[in-house]
Amino acid sequence: MAAPVKGFAHILAPSAHSTLRAGVWDFVQLPVPIIQQLYHWDCGLACSRMVLRYLGQLDDSEFESALQELRLTRSIWTIDLAYLMRHFGVRHRFCTQTLGVDKGYKNQSFYRKHFDTEETRVNQLFAQAKACKVLVEKCTVSVQDIQAHLAQGHVAIVLVNSGVLHCDLCSSPVKYCCFAPSGHRCFCRTPDYQGHFIVLRGYNRATGCIFYNNPAYADRMCSTSISNFEEARTSYGTDEDILFVYLDS
């Protein structure tokens, strides 16, 4: 059972600026800790650490052991994150448009390098998911579904095209993150798809925005419009992947 989340009741309590409509609060901002990724490839792992810490279940040594047991390397897919949640006994639901690897991605620059070696591995994970008690569904998720999930104090890890995602709060929005050998971040722009994981932590219905943690940063919460979020998460290459994670794990 997860430890209680400090401040959760206060955040979701009704106020003059927060009313409940059809089971969804007008304003939600969950206290999800921010953990920065270490490399150009581990944004999904950083997001998983954020979620597990939010649930009160993050132990660094156990996390590293889990990565070894699940044989997670530098190519991390959403299905890998679902298996990681299952490893820690976290209730989850992975929604996607493709149950396996879309062969059309083979010619995408983002996927090209690891496609041939990863296709069989990833397809096997999908095939074994039910037996391994990893919940995967082929389904379409709406913004209203996401808001209803967040309104209950739950969080979600979402695959987006970072070349499209734009933070309204950052003076230098991340188009996609990469790292120089010295470890300094640089911000690169490219018209090609750039897969990136973020953690959803709330929304404001009055202003029509979504709050999220971007693991490219270590010191801030990000926010974008619902229209920009929808464009980023439904871009070709994402399969509209979203991993719902539940507080009552």
PDB file of all heavy atoms in Angstrom, residues 41 44-45 72 74-83 94 100-102 105 110-111 114-115 117-119 121-123 125-126 159 197 237 239 241 243:
ATOM      1  N   TRP A  41      18.419   9.396 -23.222  1.00  0.00           N
ATOM      2  CA  TRP A  41      17.521   8.276 -23.501  1.00  0.00           C
ATOM      3  C   TRP A  41      16.653   7.847 -22.321  1.00  0.00           C
ATOM      4  O   TRP A  41      15.795   6.982 -22.463  1.00  0.00           O
ATOM      5  CB  TRP A  41      18.344   7.056 -23.947  1.00  0.00           C
ATOM      6  CG  TRP A  41      19.442   6.683 -22.973  1.00  0.00           C
ATOM      7  CD1 TRP A  41      20.744   7.096 -23.022  1.00  0.00           C
ATOM      8  CD2 TRP A  41      19.329   5.844 -21.824  1.00  0.00           C
ATOM      9  NE1 TRP A  41      21.453   6.567 -21.976  1.00  0.00           N
ATOM     10  CE2 TRP A  41      20.611   5.798 -21.221  1.00  0.00           C
ATOM     11  CE3 TRP A  41      18.281   5.128 -21.245  1.00  0.00           C
ATOM     12  CZ2 TRP A  41      20.871   5.072 -20.062  1.00  0.00           C
ATOM     13  CZ3 TRP A  41      18.531   4.400 -20.085  1.00  0.00           C
ATOM     14  CH2 TRP A  41      19.812   4.379 -19.503  1.00  0.00           C
ATOM     15  N   GLY A  44      11.896   8.249 -19.814  1.00  0.00           N
ATOM     16  CA  GLY A  44      10.858   7.357 -19.296  1.00  0.00           C
ATOM     17  C   GLY A  44      11.182   6.832 -17.913  1.00  0.00           C
ATOM     18  O   GLY A  44      10.295   6.696 -17.059  1.00  0.00           O
ATOM     19  N   LEU A  45      12.456   6.550 -17.671  1.00  0.00           N
ATOM     20  CA  LEU A  45      12.871   6.068 -16.351  1.00  0.00           C
ATOM     21  C   LEU A  45      12.767   7.188 -15.317  1.00  0.00           C
ATOM     22  O   LEU A  45      12.355   6.952 -14.178  1.00  0.00           O
ATOM     23  CB  LEU A  45      14.301   5.525 -16.416  1.00  0.00           C
ATOM     24  CG  LEU A  45      14.524   4.353 -17.370  1.00  0.00           C
ATOM     25  CD1 LEU A  45      15.954   3.852 -17.264  1.00  0.00           C
ATOM     26  CD2 LEU A  45      13.534   3.216 -17.086  1.00  0.00           C
ATOM     27  N   LEU A  72      16.261  -3.585 -18.826  1.00  0.00           N
ATOM     28  CA  LEU A  72      16.007  -2.314 -19.498  1.00  0.00           C
ATOM     29  C   LEU A  72      17.330  -1.636 -19.807  1.00  0.00           C
ATOM     30  O   LEU A  72      18.165  -1.443 -18.918  1.00  0.00           O
ATOM     31  CB  LEU A  72      15.133  -1.419 -18.619  1.00  0.00           C
ATOM     32  CG  LEU A  72      13.751  -1.983 -18.294  1.00  0.00           C
ATOM     33  CD1 LEU A  72      12.924  -0.976 -17.519  1.00  0.00           C
ATOM     34  CD2 LEU A  72      13.009  -2.402 -19.554  1.00  0.00           C
ATOM     35  N   ARG A  74      19.123   1.148 -23.079  1.00  0.00           N
ATOM     36  CA  ARG A  74      18.981   2.524 -23.569  1.00  0.00           C
ATOM     37  C   ARG A  74      17.809   2.714 -24.513  1.00  0.00           C
ATOM     38  O   ARG A  74      17.611   3.808 -25.042  1.00  0.00           O
ATOM     39  CB  ARG A  74      20.273   2.961 -24.257  1.00  0.00           C
ATOM     40  CG  ARG A  74      21.445   3.075 -23.311  1.00  0.00           C
ATOM     41  CD  ARG A  74      22.618   3.766 -23.986  1.00  0.00           C
ATOM     42  NE  ARG A  74      23.715   3.961 -23.070  1.00  0.00           N
ATOM     43  CZ  ARG A  74      24.786   4.706 -23.317  1.00  0.00           C
ATOM     44  NH1 ARG A  74      24.887   5.310 -24.491  1.00  0.00           N
ATOM     45  NH2 ARG A  74      25.751   4.846 -22.432  1.00  0.00           N
ATOM     46  N   SER A  75      17.059   1.673 -24.759  1.00  0.00           N
ATOM     47  CA  SER A  75      15.875   1.786 -25.609  1.00  0.00           C
ATOM     48  C   SER A  75      14.653   1.468 -24.752  1.00  0.00           C
ATOM     49  O   SER A  75      14.376   0.306 -24.448  1.00  0.00           O
ATOM     50  CB  SER A  75      15.976   0.815 -26.794  1.00  0.00           C
ATOM     51  OG  SER A  75      14.831   0.931 -27.623  1.00  0.00           O
ATOM     52  N   ILE A  76      13.961   2.512 -24.327  1.00  0.00           N
ATOM     53  CA  ILE A  76      12.837   2.365 -23.399  1.00  0.00           C
ATOM     54  C   ILE A  76      11.526   2.678 -24.115  1.00  0.00           C
ATOM     55  O   ILE A  76      11.343   3.781 -24.643  1.00  0.00           O
ATOM     56  CB  ILE A  76      12.994   3.295 -22.183  1.00  0.00           C
ATOM     57  CG1 ILE A  76      14.336   3.069 -21.481  1.00  0.00           C
ATOM     58  CG2 ILE A  76      11.831   3.103 -21.218  1.00  0.00           C
ATOM     59  CD1 ILE A  76      14.503   1.693 -20.876  1.00  0.00           C
ATOM     60  N   TRP A  77      10.629   1.701 -24.144  1.00  0.00           N
ATOM     61  CA  TRP A  77       9.307   1.863 -24.743  1.00  0.00           C
ATOM     62  C   TRP A  77       8.268   1.972 -23.623  1.00  0.00           C
ATOM     63  O   TRP A  77       8.527   1.605 -22.475  1.00  0.00           O
ATOM     64  CB  TRP A  77       8.988   0.673 -25.648  1.00  0.00           C
ATOM     65  CG  TRP A  77       9.900   0.540 -26.837  1.00  0.00           C
ATOM     66  CD1 TRP A  77      11.259   0.364 -26.818  1.00  0.00           C
ATOM     67  CD2 TRP A  77       9.521   0.585 -28.212  1.00  0.00           C
ATOM     68  NE1 TRP A  77      11.755   0.292 -28.102  1.00  0.00           N
ATOM     69  CE2 TRP A  77      10.705   0.412 -28.988  1.00  0.00           C
ATOM     70  CE3 TRP A  77       8.307   0.724 -28.880  1.00  0.00           C
ATOM     71  CZ2 TRP A  77      10.698   0.403 -30.380  1.00  0.00           C
ATOM     72  CZ3 TRP A  77       8.300   0.707 -30.278  1.00  0.00           C
ATOM     73  CH2 TRP A  77       9.482   0.554 -31.006  1.00  0.00           C
ATOM     74  N   THR A  78       7.073   2.431 -23.970  1.00  0.00           N
ATOM     75  CA  THR A  78       6.028   2.583 -22.959  1.00  0.00           C
ATOM     76  C   THR A  78       5.685   1.252 -22.308  1.00  0.00           C
ATOM     77  O   THR A  78       5.405   1.191 -21.107  1.00  0.00           O
ATOM     78  CB  THR A  78       4.759   3.209 -23.574  1.00  0.00           C
ATOM     79  OG1 THR A  78       5.114   4.269 -24.449  1.00  0.00           O
ATOM     80  CG2 THR A  78       3.844   3.746 -22.478  1.00  0.00           C
ATOM     81  N   ILE A  79       5.708   0.173 -23.075  1.00  0.00           N
ATOM     82  CA  ILE A  79       5.420  -1.150 -22.513  1.00  0.00           C
ATOM     83  C   ILE A  79       6.451  -1.509 -21.433  1.00  0.00           C
ATOM     84  O   ILE A  79       6.131  -2.180 -20.453  1.00  0.00           O
ATOM     85  CB  ILE A  79       5.381  -2.224 -23.633  1.00  0.00           C
ATOM     86  CG1 ILE A  79       4.889  -3.561 -23.077  1.00  0.00           C
ATOM     87  CG2 ILE A  79       6.730  -2.370 -24.309  1.00  0.00           C
ATOM     88  CD1 ILE A  79       3.443  -3.590 -22.691  1.00  0.00           C
ATOM     89  N   ASP A  80       7.685  -1.052 -21.586  1.00  0.00           N
ATOM     90  CA  ASP A  80       8.702  -1.268 -20.564  1.00  0.00           C
ATOM     91  C   ASP A  80       8.301  -0.594 -19.254  1.00  0.00           C
ATOM     92  O   ASP A  80       8.482  -1.150 -18.160  1.00  0.00           O
ATOM     93  CB  ASP A  80      10.059  -0.720 -21.013  1.00  0.00           C
ATOM     94  CG  ASP A  80      10.671  -1.514 -22.154  1.00  0.00           C
ATOM     95  OD1 ASP A  80      10.687  -2.756 -22.070  1.00  0.00           O
ATOM     96  OD2 ASP A  80      11.146  -0.893 -23.121  1.00  0.00           O
ATOM     97  N   LEU A  81       7.752   0.603 -19.360  1.00  0.00           N
ATOM     98  CA  LEU A  81       7.343   1.338 -18.162  1.00  0.00           C
ATOM     99  C   LEU A  81       6.153   0.658 -17.493  1.00  0.00           C
ATOM    100  O   LEU A  81       6.040   0.661 -16.257  1.00  0.00           O
ATOM    101  CB  LEU A  81       6.994   2.785 -18.523  1.00  0.00           C
ATOM    102  CG  LEU A  81       8.087   3.582 -19.261  1.00  0.00           C
ATOM    103  CD1 LEU A  81       7.652   5.024 -19.456  1.00  0.00           C
ATOM    104  CD2 LEU A  81       9.412   3.502 -18.518  1.00  0.00           C
ATOM    105  N   ALA A  82       5.266   0.062 -18.299  1.00  0.00           N
ATOM    106  CA  ALA A  82       4.138  -0.679 -17.730  1.00  0.00           C
ATOM    107  C   ALA A  82       4.642  -1.896 -16.947  1.00  0.00           C
ATOM    108  O   ALA A  82       4.157  -2.186 -15.849  1.00  0.00           O
ATOM    109  CB  ALA A  82       3.190  -1.111 -18.847  1.00  0.00           C
ATOM    110  N   TYR A  83       5.614  -2.611 -17.499  1.00  0.00           N
ATOM    111  CA  TYR A  83       6.210  -3.753 -16.786  1.00  0.00           C
ATOM    112  C   TYR A  83       6.914  -3.278 -15.514  1.00  0.00           C
ATOM    113  O   TYR A  83       6.903  -3.976 -14.489  1.00  0.00           O
ATOM    114  CB  TYR A  83       7.202  -4.487 -17.691  1.00  0.00           C
ATOM    115  CG  TYR A  83       6.581  -5.580 -18.524  1.00  0.00           C
ATOM    116  CD1 TYR A  83       5.887  -5.286 -19.696  1.00  0.00           C
ATOM    117  CD2 TYR A  83       6.685  -6.923 -18.142  1.00  0.00           C
ATOM    118  CE1 TYR A  83       5.311  -6.290 -20.472  1.00  0.00           C
ATOM    119  CE2 TYR A  83       6.120  -7.939 -18.914  1.00  0.00           C
ATOM    120  CZ  TYR A  83       5.434  -7.612 -20.073  1.00  0.00           C
ATOM    121  OH  TYR A  83       4.859  -8.623 -20.831  1.00  0.00           O
ATOM    122  N   PHE A  94      -2.273   0.735 -19.342  1.00  0.00           N
ATOM    123  CA  PHE A  94      -1.540   1.250 -20.494  1.00  0.00           C
ATOM    124  C   PHE A  94      -2.467   1.269 -21.700  1.00  0.00           C
ATOM    125  O   PHE A  94      -2.897   0.226 -22.180  1.00  0.00           O
ATOM    126  CB  PHE A  94      -0.305   0.383 -20.737  1.00  0.00           C
ATOM    127  CG  PHE A  94       0.442   0.663 -22.019  1.00  0.00           C
ATOM    128  CD1 PHE A  94       0.399   1.896 -22.652  1.00  0.00           C
ATOM    129  CD2 PHE A  94       1.235  -0.332 -22.596  1.00  0.00           C
ATOM    130  CE1 PHE A  94       1.091   2.142 -23.830  1.00  0.00           C
ATOM    131  CE2 PHE A  94       1.944  -0.106 -23.774  1.00  0.00           C
ATOM    132  CZ  PHE A  94       1.860   1.136 -24.386  1.00  0.00           C
ATOM    133  N   GLY A 100       1.751  -3.537 -30.045  1.00  0.00           N
ATOM    134  CA  GLY A 100       2.998  -4.032 -30.606  1.00  0.00           C
ATOM    135  C   GLY A 100       3.726  -2.907 -31.306  1.00  0.00           C
ATOM    136  O   GLY A 100       3.458  -1.724 -31.061  1.00  0.00           O
ATOM    137  N   VAL A 101       4.641  -3.256 -32.187  1.00  0.00           N
ATOM    138  CA  VAL A 101       5.449  -2.263 -32.893  1.00  0.00           C
ATOM    139  C   VAL A 101       4.837  -1.964 -34.257  1.00  0.00           C
ATOM    140  O   VAL A 101       4.560  -2.873 -35.035  1.00  0.00           O
ATOM    141  CB  VAL A 101       6.895  -2.770 -33.074  1.00  0.00           C
ATOM    142  CG1 VAL A 101       7.708  -1.769 -33.878  1.00  0.00           C
ATOM    143  CG2 VAL A 101       7.549  -3.015 -31.717  1.00  0.00           C
ATOM    144  N   ASP A 102       4.616  -0.697 -34.519  1.00  0.00           N
ATOM    145  CA  ASP A 102       4.124  -0.258 -35.831  1.00  0.00           C
ATOM    146  C   ASP A 102       5.287  -0.327 -36.827  1.00  0.00           C
ATOM    147  O   ASP A 102       6.276   0.404 -36.694  1.00  0.00           O
ATOM    148  CB  ASP A 102       3.604   1.178 -35.715  1.00  0.00           C
ATOM    149  CG  ASP A 102       2.948   1.676 -36.997  1.00  0.00           C
ATOM    150  OD1 ASP A 102       3.289   1.161 -38.086  1.00  0.00           O
ATOM    151  OD2 ASP A 102       2.109   2.587 -36.915  1.00  0.00           O
ATOM    152  N   TYR A 105       7.158   2.648 -38.425  1.00  0.00           N
ATOM    153  CA  TYR A 105       8.143   3.481 -37.741  1.00  0.00           C
ATOM    154  C   TYR A 105       9.579   3.153 -38.153  1.00  0.00           C
ATOM    155  O   TYR A 105      10.505   3.868 -37.789  1.00  0.00           O
ATOM    156  CB  TYR A 105       8.018   3.318 -36.223  1.00  0.00           C
ATOM    157  CG  TYR A 105       6.711   3.817 -35.648  1.00  0.00           C
ATOM    158  CD1 TYR A 105       6.277   3.399 -34.398  1.00  0.00           C
ATOM    159  CD2 TYR A 105       5.921   4.721 -36.347  1.00  0.00           C
ATOM    160  CE1 TYR A 105       5.086   3.862 -33.854  1.00  0.00           C
ATOM    161  CE2 TYR A 105       4.726   5.179 -35.834  1.00  0.00           C
ATOM    162  CZ  TYR A 105       4.314   4.745 -34.577  1.00  0.00           C
ATOM    163  OH  TYR A 105       3.140   5.205 -34.057  1.00  0.00           O
ATOM    164  N   PHE A 110      13.842   8.660 -35.582  1.00  0.00           N
ATOM    165  CA  PHE A 110      13.881   8.455 -34.132  1.00  0.00           C
ATOM    166  C   PHE A 110      13.979   6.973 -33.787  1.00  0.00           C
ATOM    167  O   PHE A 110      14.643   6.585 -32.825  1.00  0.00           O
ATOM    168  CB  PHE A 110      12.628   9.062 -33.486  1.00  0.00           C
ATOM    169  CG  PHE A 110      12.584   8.913 -31.986  1.00  0.00           C
ATOM    170  CD1 PHE A 110      13.314   9.762 -31.168  1.00  0.00           C
ATOM    171  CD2 PHE A 110      11.813   7.926 -31.392  1.00  0.00           C
ATOM    172  CE1 PHE A 110      13.282   9.627 -29.790  1.00  0.00           C
ATOM    173  CE2 PHE A 110      11.769   7.787 -30.015  1.00  0.00           C
ATOM    174  CZ  PHE A 110      12.506   8.643 -29.211  1.00  0.00           C
ATOM    175  N   TYR A 111      13.305   6.116 -34.553  1.00  0.00           N
ATOM    176  CA  TYR A 111      13.242   4.688 -34.266  1.00  0.00           C
ATOM    177  C   TYR A 111      14.280   3.860 -35.035  1.00  0.00           C
ATOM    178  O   TYR A 111      14.576   2.737 -34.668  1.00  0.00           O
ATOM    179  CB  TYR A 111      11.848   4.144 -34.613  1.00  0.00           C
ATOM    180  CG  TYR A 111      10.762   4.584 -33.675  1.00  0.00           C
ATOM    181  CD1 TYR A 111       9.872   5.599 -34.026  1.00  0.00           C
ATOM    182  CD2 TYR A 111      10.602   3.983 -32.433  1.00  0.00           C
ATOM    183  CE1 TYR A 111       8.861   6.007 -33.167  1.00  0.00           C
ATOM    184  CE2 TYR A 111       9.594   4.380 -31.570  1.00  0.00           C
ATOM    185  CZ  TYR A 111       8.731   5.386 -31.942  1.00  0.00           C
ATOM    186  OH  TYR A 111       7.737   5.784 -31.085  1.00  0.00           O
ATOM    187  N   HIS A 114      17.391   1.519 -33.498  1.00  0.00           N
ATOM    188  CA  HIS A 114      17.152   0.334 -32.668  1.00  0.00           C
ATOM    189  C   HIS A 114      15.982  -0.522 -33.164  1.00  0.00           C
ATOM    190  O   HIS A 114      15.634  -1.502 -32.507  1.00  0.00           O
ATOM    191  CB  HIS A 114      16.865   0.757 -31.212  1.00  0.00           C
ATOM    192  CG  HIS A 114      17.993   1.506 -30.572  1.00  0.00           C
ATOM    193  ND1 HIS A 114      19.146   0.894 -30.174  1.00  0.00           N
ATOM    194  CD2 HIS A 114      18.132   2.825 -30.264  1.00  0.00           C
ATOM    195  CE1 HIS A 114      19.967   1.790 -29.639  1.00  0.00           C
ATOM    196  NE2 HIS A 114      19.378   2.975 -29.687  1.00  0.00           N
ATOM    197  N   PHE A 115      15.388  -0.151 -34.289  1.00  0.00           N
ATOM    198  CA  PHE A 115      14.139  -0.801 -34.696  1.00  0.00           C
ATOM    199  C   PHE A 115      14.297  -2.312 -34.880  1.00  0.00           C
ATOM    200  O   PHE A 115      13.518  -3.100 -34.322  1.00  0.00           O
ATOM    201  CB  PHE A 115      13.606  -0.177 -35.991  1.00  0.00           C
ATOM    202  CG  PHE A 115      12.220  -0.633 -36.332  1.00  0.00           C
ATOM    203  CD1 PHE A 115      11.117   0.064 -35.882  1.00  0.00           C
ATOM    204  CD2 PHE A 115      12.003  -1.773 -37.098  1.00  0.00           C
ATOM    205  CE1 PHE A 115       9.826  -0.360 -36.179  1.00  0.00           C
ATOM    206  CE2 PHE A 115      10.725  -2.204 -37.405  1.00  0.00           C
ATOM    207  CZ  PHE A 115       9.628  -1.499 -36.941  1.00  0.00           C
ATOM    208  N   THR A 117      16.491  -4.491 -33.811  1.00  0.00           N
ATOM    209  CA  THR A 117      16.809  -5.263 -32.609  1.00  0.00           C
ATOM    210  C   THR A 117      15.685  -5.207 -31.577  1.00  0.00           C
ATOM    211  O   THR A 117      15.533  -6.125 -30.774  1.00  0.00           O
ATOM    212  CB  THR A 117      18.108  -4.747 -31.956  1.00  0.00           C
ATOM    213  OG1 THR A 117      17.963  -3.342 -31.677  1.00  0.00           O
ATOM    214  CG2 THR A 117      19.295  -4.960 -32.874  1.00  0.00           C
ATOM    215  N   GLU A 118      14.879  -4.156 -31.603  1.00  0.00           N
ATOM    216  CA  GLU A 118      13.846  -3.969 -30.586  1.00  0.00           C
ATOM    217  C   GLU A 118      12.487  -4.545 -30.979  1.00  0.00           C
ATOM    218  O   GLU A 118      11.663  -4.843 -30.110  1.00  0.00           O
ATOM    219  CB  GLU A 118      13.684  -2.477 -30.278  1.00  0.00           C
ATOM    220  CG  GLU A 118      14.824  -1.889 -29.485  1.00  0.00           C
ATOM    221  CD  GLU A 118      14.833  -2.416 -28.057  1.00  0.00           C
ATOM    222  OE1 GLU A 118      14.094  -1.885 -27.219  1.00  0.00           O
ATOM    223  OE2 GLU A 118      15.564  -3.391 -27.804  1.00  0.00           O
ATOM    224  N   GLU A 119      12.219  -4.684 -32.260  1.00  0.00           N
ATOM    225  CA  GLU A 119      10.891  -5.099 -32.706  1.00  0.00           C
ATOM    226  C   GLU A 119      10.455  -6.414 -32.067  1.00  0.00           C
ATOM    227  O   GLU A 119       9.349  -6.512 -31.509  1.00  0.00           O
ATOM    228  CB  GLU A 119      10.858  -5.226 -34.230  1.00  0.00           C
ATOM    229  CG  GLU A 119       9.479  -5.591 -34.767  1.00  0.00           C
ATOM    230  CD  GLU A 119       9.451  -5.709 -36.268  1.00  0.00           C
ATOM    231  OE1 GLU A 119      10.539  -5.788 -36.890  1.00  0.00           O
ATOM    232  OE2 GLU A 119       8.341  -5.737 -36.835  1.00  0.00           O
ATOM    233  N   ARG A 121      11.652  -7.952 -29.343  1.00  0.00           N
ATOM    234  CA  ARG A 121      11.574  -7.831 -27.885  1.00  0.00           C
ATOM    235  C   ARG A 121      10.280  -7.149 -27.448  1.00  0.00           C
ATOM    236  O   ARG A 121       9.572  -7.639 -26.562  1.00  0.00           O
ATOM    237  CB  ARG A 121      12.768  -7.024 -27.363  1.00  0.00           C
ATOM    238  CG  ARG A 121      12.802  -6.891 -25.837  1.00  0.00           C
ATOM    239  CD  ARG A 121      13.898  -5.956 -25.373  1.00  0.00           C
ATOM    240  NE  ARG A 121      13.593  -4.557 -25.618  1.00  0.00           N
ATOM    241  CZ  ARG A 121      12.855  -3.802 -24.790  1.00  0.00           C
ATOM    242  NH1 ARG A 121      12.338  -4.335 -23.686  1.00  0.00           N
ATOM    243  NH2 ARG A 121      12.618  -2.531 -25.062  1.00  0.00           N
ATOM    244  N   VAL A 122       9.963  -6.034 -28.084  1.00  0.00           N
ATOM    245  CA  VAL A 122       8.776  -5.270 -27.706  1.00  0.00           C
ATOM    246  C   VAL A 122       7.498  -6.045 -28.021  1.00  0.00           C
ATOM    247  O   VAL A 122       6.555  -6.081 -27.217  1.00  0.00           O
ATOM    248  CB  VAL A 122       8.783  -3.891 -28.397  1.00  0.00           C
ATOM    249  CG1 VAL A 122       7.463  -3.167 -28.174  1.00  0.00           C
ATOM    250  CG2 VAL A 122       9.945  -3.058 -27.877  1.00  0.00           C
ATOM    251  N   ASN A 123       7.448  -6.694 -29.186  1.00  0.00           N
ATOM    252  CA  ASN A 123       6.268  -7.494 -29.526  1.00  0.00           C
ATOM    253  C   ASN A 123       6.061  -8.642 -28.538  1.00  0.00           C
ATOM    254  O   ASN A 123       4.925  -8.996 -28.207  1.00  0.00           O
ATOM    255  CB  ASN A 123       6.390  -8.031 -30.951  1.00  0.00           C
ATOM    256  CG  ASN A 123       6.097  -6.970 -32.001  1.00  0.00           C
ATOM    257  OD1 ASN A 123       5.393  -5.988 -31.732  1.00  0.00           O
ATOM    258  ND2 ASN A 123       6.632  -7.153 -33.198  1.00  0.00           N
ATOM    259  N   LEU A 125       6.878  -8.570 -25.376  1.00  0.00           N
ATOM    260  CA  LEU A 125       6.351  -7.973 -24.145  1.00  0.00           C
ATOM    261  C   LEU A 125       4.835  -7.771 -24.251  1.00  0.00           C
ATOM    262  O   LEU A 125       4.096  -8.023 -23.298  1.00  0.00           O
ATOM    263  CB  LEU A 125       7.044  -6.642 -23.862  1.00  0.00           C
ATOM    264  CG  LEU A 125       8.506  -6.710 -23.426  1.00  0.00           C
ATOM    265  CD1 LEU A 125       9.073  -5.297 -23.256  1.00  0.00           C
ATOM    266  CD2 LEU A 125       8.663  -7.508 -22.140  1.00  0.00           C
ATOM    267  N   PHE A 126       4.381  -7.320 -25.399  1.00  0.00           N
ATOM    268  CA  PHE A 126       2.936  -7.155 -25.596  1.00  0.00           C
ATOM    269  C   PHE A 126       2.241  -8.517 -25.540  1.00  0.00           C
ATOM    270  O   PHE A 126       1.183  -8.655 -24.918  1.00  0.00           O
ATOM    271  CB  PHE A 126       2.658  -6.477 -26.937  1.00  0.00           C
ATOM    272  CG  PHE A 126       2.681  -4.979 -26.887  1.00  0.00           C
ATOM    273  CD1 PHE A 126       3.834  -4.279 -27.205  1.00  0.00           C
ATOM    274  CD2 PHE A 126       1.555  -4.260 -26.524  1.00  0.00           C
ATOM    275  CE1 PHE A 126       3.864  -2.885 -27.163  1.00  0.00           C
ATOM    276  CE2 PHE A 126       1.560  -2.876 -26.477  1.00  0.00           C
ATOM    277  CZ  PHE A 126       2.730  -2.187 -26.795  1.00  0.00           C
ATOM    278  N   LEU A 159       3.563   9.643 -23.622  1.00  0.00           N
ATOM    279  CA  LEU A 159       4.553   9.773 -24.690  1.00  0.00           C
ATOM    280  C   LEU A 159       4.112  10.900 -25.613  1.00  0.00           C
ATOM    281  O   LEU A 159       2.990  10.887 -26.124  1.00  0.00           O
ATOM    282  CB  LEU A 159       4.670   8.462 -25.472  1.00  0.00           C
ATOM    283  CG  LEU A 159       5.659   8.454 -26.642  1.00  0.00           C
ATOM    284  CD1 LEU A 159       7.080   8.727 -26.168  1.00  0.00           C
ATOM    285  CD2 LEU A 159       5.594   7.118 -27.384  1.00  0.00           C
ATOM    286  N   PHE A 197       8.945  11.313 -22.845  1.00  0.00           N
ATOM    287  CA  PHE A 197       7.940  11.024 -21.818  1.00  0.00           C
ATOM    288  C   PHE A 197       7.828  12.191 -20.844  1.00  0.00           C
ATOM    289  O   PHE A 197       8.836  12.794 -20.463  1.00  0.00           O
ATOM    290  CB  PHE A 197       8.317   9.762 -21.037  1.00  0.00           C
ATOM    291  CG  PHE A 197       8.176   8.486 -21.821  1.00  0.00           C
ATOM    292  CD1 PHE A 197       9.294   7.838 -22.323  1.00  0.00           C
ATOM    293  CD2 PHE A 197       6.918   7.940 -22.061  1.00  0.00           C
ATOM    294  CE1 PHE A 197       9.172   6.649 -23.032  1.00  0.00           C
ATOM    295  CE2 PHE A 197       6.779   6.754 -22.782  1.00  0.00           C
ATOM    296  CZ  PHE A 197       7.911   6.111 -23.270  1.00  0.00           C
ATOM    297  N   GLY A 237       3.931   8.546 -34.355  1.00  0.00           N
ATOM    298  CA  GLY A 237       5.113   8.070 -33.651  1.00  0.00           C
ATOM    299  C   GLY A 237       4.826   7.783 -32.188  1.00  0.00           C
ATOM    300  O   GLY A 237       5.520   6.986 -31.558  1.00  0.00           O
ATOM    301  N   ASP A 239       1.773   6.620 -31.008  1.00  0.00           N
ATOM    302  CA  ASP A 239       0.711   5.612 -30.843  1.00  0.00           C
ATOM    303  C   ASP A 239      -0.306   6.048 -29.795  1.00  0.00           C
ATOM    304  O   ASP A 239      -1.071   5.231 -29.283  1.00  0.00           O
ATOM    305  CB  ASP A 239       1.283   4.242 -30.449  1.00  0.00           C
ATOM    306  CG  ASP A 239       1.888   3.497 -31.620  1.00  0.00           C
ATOM    307  OD1 ASP A 239       1.384   3.667 -32.732  1.00  0.00           O
ATOM    308  OD2 ASP A 239       2.880   2.770 -31.424  1.00  0.00           O
ATOM    309  N   ASP A 241       0.261   6.716 -26.808  1.00  0.00           N
ATOM    310  CA  ASP A 241       0.553   5.948 -25.592  1.00  0.00           C
ATOM    311  C   ASP A 241       0.347   6.785 -24.342  1.00  0.00           C
ATOM    312  O   ASP A 241       0.870   7.904 -24.233  1.00  0.00           O
ATOM    313  CB  ASP A 241       2.013   5.473 -25.599  1.00  0.00           C
ATOM    314  CG  ASP A 241       2.259   4.308 -26.535  1.00  0.00           C
ATOM    315  OD1 ASP A 241       1.310   3.893 -27.227  1.00  0.00           O
ATOM    316  OD2 ASP A 241       3.400   3.809 -26.558  1.00  0.00           O
ATOM    317  N   LEU A 243       0.189   5.902 -19.999  1.00  0.00           N
ATOM    318  CA  LEU A 243       0.236   4.926 -18.915  1.00  0.00           C
ATOM    319  C   LEU A 243      -0.410   5.562 -17.687  1.00  0.00           C
ATOM    320  O   LEU A 243       0.182   6.402 -17.023  1.00  0.00           O
ATOM    321  CB  LEU A 243       1.690   4.533 -18.622  1.00  0.00           C
ATOM    322  CG  LEU A 243       1.925   3.525 -17.491  1.00  0.00           C
ATOM    323  CD1 LEU A 243       1.195   2.213 -17.767  1.00  0.00           C
ATOM    324  CD2 LEU A 243       3.412   3.292 -17.293  1.00  0.00           C
TER     325      LEU A 243
END
